[in-house]
Amino acid sequence: MGSVVVSNLVLLVVAALLVAGTLSSLLAARFGAPILLLFLLVGVLAGEGGPGGIHFDDYWATYMVGSAALAVILFDGGLRMRIGALRGAVAPAATLATAGVVLTAVLVGLVASVLLRLSLLEGFLVGAIVASTDAAAVFFLMHAQGLHLGRRVGAVIELESATNDPAAVFLTVLLVEMLSADLSNPGLAVVVGVGRELVVGAAFGVAGGAILAALMNRLDLPAGLHPVLAVAAAVLLFAITSLSHGSGFLAVFLAGLVLGNRPVRAIAPITSFLNAVTWMCQIVMFVMLGLLVSPQKILEYALPALGVAAFLILVGRPAAVFACLLPFRFSIDETAFVSWAGLRGAVSIFLATIPMLAHLPRAEVYFNVAFAVVLVSLVLHGWTMVPAARRLGVALADPVPSVRRFEIDLPGQLEVELVAYPVAEGAPVAARGALPAGTRLMMVVRDGQTLTPEAAGPLAAGDYAYVLAPPQRVHGLDRLFRPQEAIAADDGAAFPFVGEVRLGDLAGLYGLPVPQEEWALTIADAFADRASDRVAPGMRIAYGRALIEVRDVDDGRVTWAVLRLEGGRLRRGLRRLGRLFGQGDSEDD
């Protein structure tokens, strides 16, 4: 009977921690706190050094659970990414994921060896542990806060965070082996090892994604089992790739990317299921990591750990990013934001468990320093990521609320899916009535009654519309059903333009600080480049203190926009217009 009681107590504790972690998300939403930080603090408070007093020091279990959780989160990240969004981002992201990680590890290692009084090799191990950004945290933070970055910048950040783990994992394992065997010269082992991890991981990931897509479309599984198969296959692929000396993290990300960009049966329930599973993985992973931590130990290493964190965030990461992105013609603001978006999360603490499992003499130092760095990063980046994106002009201003869409999988075919939308007040579909080519209204639910399209007539606010559409046209439908906020009335500071006007012409006429590489783009091109297929009325791009705001969109392209200028720039723009039409220029700037 004693074992039964113990089992029930374990279940009680685990369930209570999950409930506490889940409810902490409400605090994050209410007070704007970084939600991952709250998950971590729940674990710390429940641990041996906190009020909960739970003794937990199973690093092996943490490593296993963390591996599976990260595999699922990365798979979900790849599944939601469109291959078209990667245009122009692969080369810079690959450079950051390899050379950037090594350079960051070296720079941080030099400082860590001094601050923590470690040997150079031990300092490099600290650098390797905290060198990579955390894809899980980056995906989670950007999606949870609704941050819409420019297409190229957003793709680089997400792709780098998803692909830089192989270099960090390999460096960490190599340095642990060198310290365990008292070796000092890795030679070409670093280059060869990282290359093997990337090549094997990429090959297994692409092949695994293609095989999984074929299985999904061939197997007639009972309802509800397609999502289970997808998650199990992701963890299986991670394990097989890792045992084959490849990067399991890269493999699952690429498998998700392949699966998400092919016609696949039951993709709607798969993505819905992964929404819940990734939340659960984040909660479990961060709570377990928090349980391992002793607040007293963190305080013991607080000062040098803060020094390492400050150098990493303010010097090491920016230096590596600016060096790696220099050949790729990013603007200074874009490069600065990529360097600031180097969020550290569970991966760094996860890597810090490797020295603990290897029983290295200074393993406790690595773990507590890594935890402190992650804590600082979650607080600093979690609260400043969105303001920094706005300040640096890399975020797409989007004042319009997101659309509510319900997807219904249709058995037996892959060409179309049934999507349902509530019709909001002022939605374009209610005003225009017409749906895009290739889509068809199937039924309307109005006041509790189900009506045919003919019986329903024009859609009205409060209706639920069920539309048959090819998967690639669903985002176009989103724009039509999206609730529209009132756009500010035109005033003397707003100038209308068609979407095909070149940014270079606007820059020359109004003195806008448009980057030289964007001068050849039209207004429509600029919004398509930043928002891909999510362009909608009300979105804005800032150039200095001037704004270009979308007014009308047709088939995903901006047809009309307005340029809004602040006072001083407005006066200069009007004088330029006056000179253009032969009028005077007597006012001073």
Side-chain angles (χ1 to χ4, degrees):
M1 288 298 293
S3 59
V4 174
V5 173
V6 171
S7 299
N8 289 333
L9 284 174
V10 171
L11 290 175
L12 172 66
V13 170
V14 171
L17 289 175
L18 288 176
V19 169
T22 303
L23 293 179
S24 67
S25 63
L26 299 176
L27 294 175
R30 183 175 180 83
F31 299 107
I35 192 168
L36 299 179
L37 175 64
L38 290 180
F39 295 159
L40 200 61
L41 292 180
V42 167
V44 172
L45 293 174
E48 193 171 12
I54 299 172
H55 177 72
F56 180 78
D57 60 358
D58 194 336
Y59 291 92
W60 182 84
T62 304
Y63 184 88
M64 293 293 294
V65 172
S67 297
L70 287 170
V72 173
I73 293 166
L74 284 170
F75 178 74
D76 179 63
L79 190 71
R80 296 174 192 279
M81 183 173 283
R82 303 276 73 84
I83 288 180
L86 301 181
R87 176 171 48 87
V90 175
T95 305
L96 287 171
T98 51
V101 169
V102 175
L103 182 56
T104 303
V106 170
L107 293 175
V108 174
L110 292 172
V111 172
S113 62
V114 175
L115 294 178
L116 296 166
R117 298 180 182 178
L118 303 172
S119 69
L120 205 55
L121 208 57
E122 291 172 329
F124 288 153
L125 178 55
V126 174
I129 288 171
V130 300
S132 70
T133 58
D134 187 345
V138 169
F139 290 153
F140 201 77
L141 184 64
M142 290 174 62
H143 296 160
Q145 297 191 358
L147 182 59
H148 292 169
L149 296 175
R151 183 197 57 79
R152 192 181 183 211
V153 172
V156 166
I157 291 171
E158 293 198 18
L159 193 58
E160 178 217 355
S161 64
T163 58
N164 64 8
D165 293 326
V169 171
F170 180 79
L171 280 177
T172 301
V173 172
L174 177 66
L175 289 165
V176 167
E177 290 176 350
M178 291 171 65
L179 288 168
S180 299
D182 199 22
L183 301 176
S184 58
N185 184 17
L188 293 176
V190 173
V191 177
V192 173
V194 171
R196 183 189 65 211
E197 292 266 331
L198 291 173
V199 170
V200 174
F204 276 57
V206 173
I211 292 170
L212 181 56
L215 283 175
M216 289 287 183
N217 293 332
R218 280 181 168 272
L219 298 178
D220 189 16
L221 295 174
L225 286 186
H226 285 92
V228 177
L229 174 62
V231 171
V235 178
L236 177 64
L237 178 63
F238 172 85
I240 292 174
T241 308
S242 299
L243 290 172
S244 302
H245 304 289
S247 170
F249 296 122
L250 177 60
V252 293
F253 173 78
L254 290 179
L257 187 67
V258 171
L259 187 68
N261 285 272
R262 290 191 171 198
V264 175
R265 179 185 296 172
I267 193 66
I270 289 172
T271 53
S272 298
F273 182 73
L274 281 171
N275 275 335
V277 171
T278 51
W279 270 96
M280 181 67 71
C281 287
Q282 290 282 8
I283 294 171
V284 170
M285 186 167 54
F286 275 88
V287 169
M288 284 188 73
L289 292 171
L291 284 171
L292 288 174
V293 174
S294 167
Q296 292 79 9
K297 291 291 184 182
I298 293 292
L299 292 175
E300 183 180 334
Y301 297 103
L303 287 179
L306 287 175
V308 172
F311 180 84
L312 168 67
I313 294 170
L314 300 178
V315 181
R317 165 77 178 175
V321 170
F322 273 84
C324 290
L325 294 186
L326 189 61
F328 298 105
R329 298 172 63 86
F330 282 84
S331 69
I332 292 178
D333 286 345
E334 289 174 332
T335 308
F337 183 74
V338 172
S339 69
W340 189 249
L343 184 67
R344 269 58 188 175
V347 169
S348 293
I349 307 176
F350 169 76
L351 292 178
T353 62
I354 296 176
M356 299 292 289
L357 293 172
H359 303 292
L360 289 186
R362 310 294 295 273
E364 187 180 87
V365 176
Y366 310 133
F367 185 84
N368 287 289
V369 169
F371 188 89
V373 169
V374 169
L375 205 59
V376 171
S377 181
L378 288 176
V379 172
L380 191 60
H381 293 120
W383 258 301
T384 63
M385 187 81 78
V386 173
R390 306 284 187 217
R391 179 75 176 175
L392 294 170
V394 298
L396 193 68
D398 184 5
V400 186
S402 59
V403 70
R404 294 170 58 203
R405 183 211 309 156
F406 307 93
E407 300 177 2
I408 304 168
D409 187 49
L410 297 178
Q413 57 75 48
L414 302 171
E415 303 303 321
V416 292
E417 60 182 275
L418 189 63
V419 289
Y421 295 92
V423 180
E425 187 72 40
V429 71
R432 301 176 187 173
L435 293 175
T439 65
R440 185 153 50 103
L441 183 64
M442 300 302 295
M443 67 177 182
V444 177
V445 176
R446 178 179 295 160
D447 298 328
Q449 295 184 336
T450 302
L451 306 173
T452 65
E454 294 76 19
L459 293 172
D463 290 349
Y464 278 83
Y466 290 77
V467 182
L468 203 63
Q472 64 270 22
R473 291 191 175 271
V474 169
H475 290 292
L477 283 173
D478 287 353
R479 291 190 293 271
L480 293 177
F481 286 91
R482 195 171 173 148
Q484 303 294 307
E485 290 186 351
I487 299 175
D490 286 333
D491 51 34
F495 301 90
F497 292 96
V498 295
E500 298 309 314
V501 170
R502 290 193 316 123
L503 293 178
D505 295 336
L506 294 180
L509 190 59
Y510 295 98
L512 304 185
V514 177
Q516 189 70 37
E517 59 270 18
E518 294 188 19
W519 275 43
L521 298 179
T522 65
I523 293 174
D525 292 335
F527 278 96
D529 187 58
R530 286 165 168 80
S532 188
D533 54 7
R534 292 185 285 110
V535 182
M539 287 185 172
R540 306 183 187 107
I541 297 177
Y543 291 107
R545 296 180 67 181
L547 286 174
I548 299 177
E549 182 179 286
V550 177
R551 276 304 180 85
D552 199 12
V553 177
D554 183 24
D555 198 23
R557 295 277 295 177
V558 176
T559 54
W560 281 97
V562 294
L563 172 65
R564 299 185 180 280
L565 303 174
E566 50 85 22
R569 195 177 297 277
L570 170 62
R571 289 192 296 272
R572 291 191 291 274
L574 290 174
R575 283 196 296 277
R576 287 191 176 99
L577 283 174
R579 289 196 298 272
L580 183 65
F581 290 101
Q583 298 176 8
D585 182 26
S586 60
E587 292 186 44
D588 297 328
D589 285 345

